[in-house]
Amino acid sequence: MHEAKQVQNITVLGAGAWGTAVAIALAARHDVLLWGRNPAQMARSAAARENTDYLPGFPFPEGLQVSADFEAALAHVTDAAATPGATPLLIAACPVAGLRPLLQALKGRPIPNIVWLCKGFEYDTGLLPHQVVNDVLGEGVAGAALSGPSFAQEVARGLPCALTVASASSELRERVVSLVHGGNMRVYSCDDMVGVEVGGAVKNILAIATGAADGLGLGLNARAALITRGLAEITRLGTALGGHAGTFMGLTGMGDLILTCTGDLSRNRRVGLALAEGKQLDTIVRELGHVAEGVPCAKAVRELARRMGVDMPITNAVAGVLFDGIPAAEMAGQLLARDPRNELA
């Protein structure tokens, strides 16, 4: 018989779809506070007991707190940290673009640790999330990336999923596994932060490519080829940045890539489908109503790959469609015309 886990205080900073889903899942076992920066949104969520803006239809568990009070959200974990035996957790659930501003608001405060859920490269600097954290908070604060194949709607519904926590701190990895693993949520542990973050970022670009190919009616053979060659691109960039090749065969590489490229809940896949219809990017983003991280990530990764001399033809093709006005059908033709003799199958 497994010993019951002690209830701990967890604050989730960011009340988008994914942050809300994680808060819902963890509130079944812990004392969770979900913070959002928009007071009107949080008031609607508190009144309806669900996130009517970003995750409607998924009621909050009893006891899940919602707040727009940043100081109260931090106190939920910092005050608990003083209790003997307590292992509170602070989770940043903002998009990559919001990570640095959120960290700057945390700088100098007695936060016990921070775990981030965002996937991507910072757009202006090309930094991975853990590099942004180190840049703002320094290396004195223990940090971890929690990533893997996970649609918010399915997590909020309580369906099974598996994630990976990556951190240089074995103590923090153990804490995250202890608190988050449970029920239908499995959490694995590794120390390859670069590999985990690169896989989580670049798969969004590949999902746009796959959505476009499907929208153009190129068939299942083309989809399989894109996913496979996409994994090769992720691995090339990831290992060039210092990631471990084996990481890209796991949940945060192959697993997240397959889900995001094929799942109908994927926002990035929907961007590709819309591009195949000939829609303009600003129209697609407006109609989507949510952040599709693959769009800005494509620009950041194209520039990074150019600087590093890493061959990423699918990423370049997606960026060409998104930012250079190249039609999606022409993108497919460019990829098919490439000479394969210098590439591994």
Side-chain angles (χ1 to χ4, degrees):
M1 179 180 297
H2 294 289
E3 183 180 350
K5 294 179 180 178
Q6 181 181 351
V7 174
Q8 300 290 349
N9 283 24
I10 297 175
T11 289
V12 179
L13 298 175
W18 184 219
T20 301
V22 169
I24 289 173
L26 295 180
R29 293 175 277 127
H30 297 291
D31 186 353
V32 179
L33 187 152
L34 174 65
W35 173 86
R37 67 178 62 253
N38 185 326
Q41 178 204 343
M42 300 314 291
R44 288 191 295 271
S45 296
R49 294 301 296 168
E50 67 177 57
N51 189 335
T52 53
D53 291 68
Y54 294 106
L55 198 66
F58 296 92
F60 292 160
E62 184 179 352
L64 174 60
Q65 305 174 60
V66 295
S67 177
D69 186 333
F70 190 67
E71 298 301 328
L74 292 186
H76 186 68
V77 290
T78 56
D79 290 354
T83 303
T87 56
L89 201 63
L90 182 65
I91 299 177
C94 58
V96 168
L99 182 59
R100 186 178 291 270
L102 180 62
L103 295 170
Q104 288 170 338
L106 295 172
K107 189 173 182 179
R109 296 173 180 266
I111 57 174
N113 50 62
I114 185 166
V115 176
W116 51 92
L117 308 179
C118 52
K119 301 174 181 179
F121 288 81
E122 190 174 43
Y123 314 144
D124 296 333
T125 66
L127 297 178
L128 287 165
H130 80 272
Q131 295 171 319
V132 178
V133 173
N134 289 342
D135 187 36
V136 177
L137 299 182
E139 298 185 2
V141 176
L146 184 62
S147 187
S150 47
F151 285 143
Q153 293 92 329
E154 292 194 357
V155 169
R157 194 177 296 140
L159 297 177
C161 78
L163 304 172
T164 296
V165 58
S167 177
S169 167
S170 59
E171 180 180 349
L172 181 54
R173 293 198 306 268
E174 175 58 32
R175 178 179 296 194
V176 173
V177 172
S178 176
L179 270 61
V180 179
H181 178 87
N184 284 335
M185 185 177 289
R186 296 186 61 80
V187 181
Y188 296 84
S189 173
C190 82
D191 61 2
D192 183 12
M193 296 183 74
V194 170
V196 165
E197 290 186 332
V198 170
V202 183
K203 58 89 180 180
N204 287 325
I205 305 170
L206 280 304
I208 295 175
T210 307
D214 287 349
L216 292 169
L218 300 185
L220 298 178
N221 294 339
R223 179 196 286 184
L226 271 173
I227 292 173
T228 307
R229 298 309 307 160
L231 182 61
E233 284 196 18
I234 292 173
T235 305
R236 279 200 297 272
L237 180 64
T239 53
L241 289 169
H244 306 154
T247 301
F248 305 105
M249 299 304 293
L251 289 168
T252 58
M254 180 187 293
D256 213 354
L257 178 65
I258 292 171
L259 179 73
T260 312
C261 287
T262 64
D264 290 334
L265 294 174
S266 166
R267 294 194 292 268
N268 292 285
R269 172 177 164 77
R270 294 206 298 271
V271 170
L273 290 167
L275 289 171
E277 295 176 9
K279 291 186 177 181
Q280 297 299 309
L281 180 58
D282 57 350
T283 300
I284 296 170
V285 172
R286 184 175 64 253
E287 291 178 349
L288 199 60
H290 292 258
V291 175
E293 290 283 12
V295 174
C297 191
K299 181 180 289 187
V301 172
R302 177 170 66 173
E303 294 306 313
L304 178 64
R306 283 176 177 172
R307 291 199 305 269
M308 298 186 65
V310 177
D311 187 30
M312 302 191 71
I314 303 174
T315 296
N316 292 338
V318 170
V321 175
L322 291 172
F323 308 114
D324 302 336
I326 299 174
E330 187 176 329
M331 171 192 77
Q334 289 176 356
L335 290 173
L336 287 169
R338 282 175 54 85
D339 189 338
R341 285 174 290 187
N342 294 324
E343 300 181 40
L344 295 175

